[in-house]
C-alpha cells in the first residue's frame, strides 16, 4: 500500500474513534512526530506499529489494511 494511503486510512480511523494524535502516539509508545510522519505519508508503519494502531483504535488489523469488506 502506498505511504499516503496508509496515512489517510490511519487518520480516518483515528478521527472516527475521536482520538487525537497525542493520545494515539502515547498509547503506541511512539512520538507524535513519528505518528504525524506516518499520517502524512512520509514514513511507512511497520507491522508492530500497525498492530498497535489497530489495537488502540479497537479495529481489526485487516480492517486497517483495507482487507475487510463492509458487511462481513
Amino acid at each position: 500500500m502506498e505511504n499516503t494511503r496508509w496515512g489517510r486510512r490511519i487518520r480516518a480511523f483515528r478521527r472516527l474513534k475521536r482520538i487525537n494524535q497525542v493520545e494515539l502516539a502515547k498509547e503506541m509508545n511512539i512520538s507524535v512526530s513519528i505518528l504525524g510522519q506516518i499520517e502524512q505519508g512520509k514514513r511507512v508503519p511497520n507491522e508492530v506499529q500497525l498492530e498497535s494502531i489497530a489495537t488502540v483504535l479497537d479495529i481489526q488489523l485487516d480492517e486497517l489494511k483495507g482487507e475487510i469488506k463492509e458487511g462481513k
Side-chain angles (χ1 to χ4, degrees):
M1 183 181 300
E2 73 181 62
N3 298 1
T4 55
R5 188 164 170 223
W6 274 121
R8 286 192 306 261
R9 290 189 64 76
I10 292 166
R11 180 180 294 127
F13 278 112
R14 178 178 59 76
R15 288 179 174 171
L16 185 65
K17 299 292 184 165
R18 298 178 188 253
I19 296 174
N20 64 39
Q21 280 187 334
V22 174
E23 293 168 323
L24 179 55
K26 183 177 178 182
E27 290 293 323
M28 292 176 62
N29 200 29
I30 63 171
S31 72
V32 176
S33 176
I34 290 173
L35 179 58
Q37 290 172 7
I38 291 171
E39 287 191 359
Q40 292 170 19
K42 295 178 180 177
R43 177 178 275 210
V44 178
N46 62 39
E47 196 67 26
V48 172
Q49 290 169 331
L50 289 173
E51 290 174 9
S52 181
I53 291 167
T55 298
V56 173
L57 296 179
D58 193 31
I59 59 175
Q60 293 182 13
L61 185 56
D62 288 344
E63 187 175 7
L64 182 61
K65 291 179 175 182
E67 297 173 355
I68 291 181
K69 304 288 185 222
E70 262 187 63
K72 290 190 178 181

